[in-house]
Amino acid sequence: MSVKDIAASVVLALLFVSLVAIYLVTSQNALVTGLSVLILAISLVVTIDGGWREVGVIGSVAATVSAIAVALIGRVLFNTPGVIIFTLLWLGLLFLLFQWVSRNIIRLPQDQEMLVVRTYSGARTTVKGPIAPPIFPFLERKLATIPMYELGSNINVEKVNTKAGHNIDLISVHVNYKIVDSAKAMKGILNPGMVQREVAKSMGLSLDEARNRVEFWEQIFSGQIKVDVENVVRDVVFTTFERAAEAYKEREKPEFQKEIYNRLEQQIDNWGAKLIGVDLDHFDVDSIRFRDPKRETDMRRREAEREAERIKLVRQAEAEAEAERVRQLVKTLQDAGVNLSETLIEDIVISAVQASNEWGLDNDYNRLLPGDMPMPRATGKKDDAGKK
């Protein structure tokens, strides 16, 4: 039932009770009865078909008729003093009631909704604008003021993986949505208690005060939509694309964006929101991800072949140099008069192969020379002291 319907019902009830009172305290005659029925019928038609202006007019009529009824009751009970006293008391009561309603009536924009909880039962009701009946003290209290207008969020999803393990550095997403079920939205947020306390603290307000501000709920819903967008985008990208470059090239394909839209729409429906639009504003992918995989593989293979050939040539040169050093060692020993058997030559070759530097060869050479035989000169000439 709308607020206007409630107000019209109250006005008609007051008018009806007043006319009945007049009918009961006055002498029975057809004129009074006819006027009462006529006034009530006209008021009923006007309040049903009219707007707030018509309800206000009938309310004034009802207040006047009620004052007349109270005056008649006062005259019956206490004669003339009763008329004055009862009329003044009733008018004073109507004035105080009007003042209380004027101060406490809820004026709410049409793009917002208020949740009211009944303290005696815990039941929640939704109050819509532009105006709503006052909150009855001790029986009801305001729970939250929810924005029902369109909301928007810019969300950056970073380090999005593809099947090949290639990251999309950044995907910028713009989302438009609106709350369609305020009660469901209030209960459907992840970790509502903790999140609401943190946001209220950042605003410098108590939780009850913050809940009745739409900017509080804007932050709550913004945090929730960010979580949902990140989850959906990561999942769709990973299950759809093999590599980051592929995702970048196909980012504007209708199938890709539609999949994100459908999944996100289903996700936010769980907390009473309706998705209006999703735009993938920006893809940030490292240029290295755009290299041709086949070309890159061929290049790496050629580099590996060149490296293998280089290692082969180096090892071949080292082997030839090692063989030359062994020949020089054997020749030097023979020139020095050392008797070399096949076993000893084999030992020299094995020792030379295992040696890793020239120091090892020199060490083997010194070990095989007679104890009193000096080292040969670098010129290769025979030392006379070595002849015996």
Side-chain angles (χ1 to χ4, degrees):
M1 181 179 291
S2 66
V3 179
K4 185 181 79 68
D5 292 338
I6 295 175
S9 300
V10 172
V11 168
L12 290 174
L14 177 61
L15 182 60
F16 175 76
V17 171
S18 301
L19 291 173
V20 170
I22 293 173
Y23 176 80
L24 293 176
V25 299
T26 59
S27 58
Q28 305 297 318
N29 60 74
L31 179 60
V32 173
T33 304
L35 287 175
S36 299
V37 173
L38 180 61
I39 293 172
L40 190 60
I42 293 174
S43 300
L44 181 61
V45 172
V46 171
T47 54
I48 291 177
D49 295 336
W52 279 103
R53 182 183 180 86
E54 287 73 16
V55 172
V57 172
I58 299 303
S60 300
V61 172
T64 303
V65 173
S66 66
I68 295 172
V70 169
L72 292 174
I73 294 173
R75 188 185 64 177
V76 171
L77 296 176
F78 302 103
N79 296 321
T80 302
V83 174
I84 298 173
I85 295 173
F86 274 50
T87 302
L88 291 177
L89 289 176
W90 179 249
L91 291 177
L93 180 62
L94 288 178
F95 177 77
L96 292 176
L97 181 62
F98 178 78
Q99 287 290 97
W100 182 83
V101 171
S102 298
R103 287 194 305 267
N104 294 278
I105 195 169
I106 299 174
R107 294 173 176 85
L108 196 66
Q110 291 184 333
D111 58 0
Q112 298 178 19
E113 285 187 2
M114 179 179 292
L115 293 178
V116 176
V117 59
R118 293 188 175 94
T119 57
Y120 55 89
S121 65
R124 298 179 180 182
T125 59
T126 302
V127 176
K128 300 182 180 181
I131 61 174
I135 303 296
F136 290 99
F138 308 110
L139 299 179
E140 297 178 324
R141 67 180 180 88
K142 296 179 183 179
L143 188 60
T145 302
I146 306 295
M148 306 300 290
Y149 44 81
E150 183 175 323
L151 300 171
S153 294
N154 293 311
I155 301 161
N156 292 329
V157 187
E158 300 180 349
K159 304 300 180 185
V160 183
N161 284 330
T162 58
K163 292 180 182 178
H166 297 169
N167 281 343
I168 300 172
D169 295 332
L170 177 71
I171 300 178
S172 296
V173 184
H174 181 76
V175 183
N176 292 94
Y177 60 100
K178 67 181 300 184
I179 305 302
V180 294
D181 188 335
S182 56
K184 189 177 181 181
M186 186 175 178
K187 296 187 297 183
I189 303 300
L190 295 175
N191 301 319
M194 180 181 68
V195 173
Q196 290 181 26
R197 284 191 295 270
E198 289 178 354
V199 175
K201 183 178 180 181
S202 68
M203 296 175 65
L205 300 171
S206 68
L207 186 56
D208 288 339
E209 291 175 330
R211 282 174 172 170
N212 283 287
R213 297 197 179 186
V214 291
E215 56 267 27
F216 169 81
W217 292 104
E218 287 179 358
Q219 293 187 45
I220 294 291
F221 298 143
S222 177
Q224 182 62 42
I225 197 72
K226 183 177 185 298
V227 172
D228 290 341
V229 167
E230 286 192 346
N231 290 338
V232 169
V233 169
R234 292 183 188 279
D235 186 51
V236 172
V237 169
F238 184 80
T239 57
T240 304
F241 300 113
E242 188 71 27
R243 296 181 302 276
E246 178 189 359
Y248 181 85
K249 293 176 182 177
E250 300 184 5
R251 67 191 185 281
E252 295 183 356
K253 282 194 172 183
E255 297 82 2
F256 173 53
Q257 300 203 15
K258 184 177 180 181
E259 181 67 16
I260 291 180
Y261 185 96
N262 291 339
R263 293 199 191 184
L264 186 59
E265 183 178 43
Q266 183 179 6
Q267 191 71 23
I268 70 173
D269 180 68
N270 295 330
W271 48 274
K274 177 183 178 182
L275 187 61
I276 297 175
V278 179
D279 294 317
L280 304 181
D281 293 336
H282 179 69
F283 266 63
D284 189 0
V285 180
D286 195 330
S287 59
I288 196 173
R289 303 301 182 192
F290 292 91
R291 292 180 178 176
D292 184 357
K294 184 176 185 304
R295 181 180 178 183
E296 187 174 350
T297 301
D298 292 342
M299 181 181 66
R300 290 180 178 178
R301 187 182 66 251
R302 288 193 295 271
E303 290 177 354
E305 290 173 351
R306 285 195 294 268
E307 181 66 14
E309 183 65 22
R310 185 189 68 80
I311 293 174
K312 178 182 177 181
L313 293 176
V314 169
R315 289 181 176 177
Q316 182 177 349
E318 290 177 348
E320 292 176 354
E322 193 70 24
E324 180 62 24
R325 284 194 293 270
V326 171
R327 285 194 296 271
Q328 290 295 329
L329 175 60
V330 172
K331 183 176 182 301
T332 301
L333 292 174
Q334 289 175 343
D335 292 344
V338 178
N339 185 19
L340 299 176
S341 64
E342 292 183 1
T343 302
L344 186 57
I345 293 175
E346 183 179 352
D347 289 341
I348 294 173
V349 173
I350 293 175
S351 179
V353 170
Q354 293 176 345
S356 58
N357 50 46
E358 188 176 350
W359 176 87
L361 292 176
D362 290 341
N363 186 56
D364 290 342
Y365 173 75
N366 293 333
R367 176 172 58 83
L368 295 173
L369 284 174
D372 57 349
M373 185 173 292
M375 290 280 293
R377 296 183 183 275
T379 58
K381 295 180 179 181
K382 300 178 182 177
D383 195 331
D384 294 337
K387 297 180 180 179
K388 298 198 175 175

